Amino acid sequence: MKYQSQHVAYAYFACAMALFAIQVLGGLTIGWIYVQPNFLAESFPFHIIRMIHTNALIVWLLLGFFGAAYFMIPEESEREIWSVKLAYIQLALMMIATLGAVGGYLFGIHGGREFLEQPLWAKFGILVAALIFLLNISMTVLAGRKTAITGVLLMGLWLLSLLWVFAFINPVNLSLDKLYWWFVVHLWVEATWELVMAAILAFLLLKLTGVDREVIEKWLYVIVATALFTGILGTGHHYYWIGLPGYWQWIGTIFGTLEIVPFFLMMSFAFIMVWKGRRNHPNKAALLWALGSATIAFFGAGVWGVLHNMHGVNFYSHGTQITAAHGHLAFYGAYVAMNLAIITYAMPLLRGREPYNQVLNMGSFWLMTGGMAFMTFTLTFAGVIQTHMQRVLGNYFMDVQDELGLFYVMRFTAGVAVVLGALLFIYAIFVVRRHEVVAPGSANPASMKPEPIPGE
């Protein structure tokens, strides 16, 4: 590791992993409530657990992005972080706002807007933390070397922080409320977060494959252009049924369908770079997570998204378990797996060791990915049945839910696999074996030994 200030990333990754554990355990509890609806109904109702599950997901992914930025930007800019103290203050604000919001949820204090349930004071805390972060990384980049990776990363992080302002706008008119709500929810996960994902993927492939920076940057520019072009107008596929003009059905269908393009490009980019690469890097687990993230994102965000975002299909499938299938696989592939990829790459360097626990780490990949794939197929089949029975035949919602009981048992089983994989990953990252279990190959090996700090 070249720069001492990169150690800030360790604290961010540790907090992210703690919230990751809370998130998956909350999801498993929700899965059991689908099987046994009265479980914890009085003491810990479903909607509160769901708030904790979704909010923990969003915050730990953001912490992962912030940690990735603090790890990547010093190397890309070839200088130390502008202010390490501000980075720790930002982390403290994020954790105080998060834990305070969760404490409020337990007592029924929340805003009521899905994914944006945080109390007003917590929203302000997150905004202040975001502004501190933007100042810190922007000053670092401005004073150092400029690269395409830092440019794309900064663009994604600036845009997602600015879009957070719409979380404060809560009109009385329901159509306007949902319009601004999607500015945050959609333009985060289907536009700005894609830029962050692409930048992290480019950084990892640069380090893991040894492909020339110029080649990687050309791919990165194309991915960014398609992500913004399709993602911004693709927001229209959420506007079908909220009282907005009918032309959004055409705009949303066309550009929503095209949103598969940047994910296909990212998947192609990852595999072509590995194929062209000259480096046999010892951190095989990080490479597996990077390739896996790009592939699963293509299917989860791309294929499963296209399956039901055309207005003629969405008229029937909207709000069913098909939506849940798409959401789970998309988030896991695009953002969860990419965060775990950068953490897998960075942690050995942050701890001054060669890659460790790779067999366990790769085992956690297959356990989580297998569980999430099974969950996605299960929810998809359940959603198709639900769509037909509820939207076509006109059966009552609760009668249909009773018919889906077997699928919910299967979904819970898949959730157990995901939780076990997540806990195995956390163990593999933080508990170090004495000896490495995967040795680098003989062709063009890349050392993972800590690099000397300049000036020492």
Side-chain angles (χ1 to χ4, degrees), residues 3 5-10 12-13 61-77 79-82 87 90 133-134 136-138 140-141 149-150 152-158 160 196 199-200 203 339 342-343 346:
Y3 302 97
S5 58
Q6 286 178 285
H7 280 290
V8 170
Y10 186 93
Y12 277 82
F13 292 152
L61 290 178
L62 289 175
L63 289 175
F65 290 158
F66 294 153
Y70 283 129
F71 180 82
M72 293 162 52
I73 282 178
E75 288 199 24
E76 289 292 300
S77 301
R79 58 164 288 123
E80 299 285 358
I81 293 170
W82 186 63
Q90 175 204 341
F133 172 73
L134 294 175
N136 211 354
I137 61 168
S138 298
T140 305
V141 171
I149 291 174
T150 55
V152 171
L153 186 64
L154 272 175
M155 182 189 298
L157 293 168
W158 264 96
L160 77 85
V196 178
I200 295 173
F203 177 83
N339 263 301
I342 188 66
I343 291 172

Side-chain angles (χ1 to χ4, degrees), residues 22-23 25-31 33 39-41 43-56 105-106:
I22 293 171
Q23 182 238 325
L25 290 170
L28 189 64
T29 305
I30 292 171
I33 292 174
F39 180 67
L40 297 178
S43 58
F44 210 28
F46 175 88
H47 70 286
I48 298 297
I49 305 176
R50 187 178 183 275
M51 283 183 202
I52 295 172
H53 175 59
T54 56
N55 280 232
Y105 299 160
L106 297 176

Side-chain angles (χ1 to χ4, degrees), residues 219 223 259-270 294 297-298 302:
W219 274 87
I223 291 169
E259 283 187 63
I260 196 173
V261 174
F263 288 105
F264 177 76
L265 290 175
M266 273 192 268
M267 181 178 67
S268 304
F269 167 54
F298 167 70

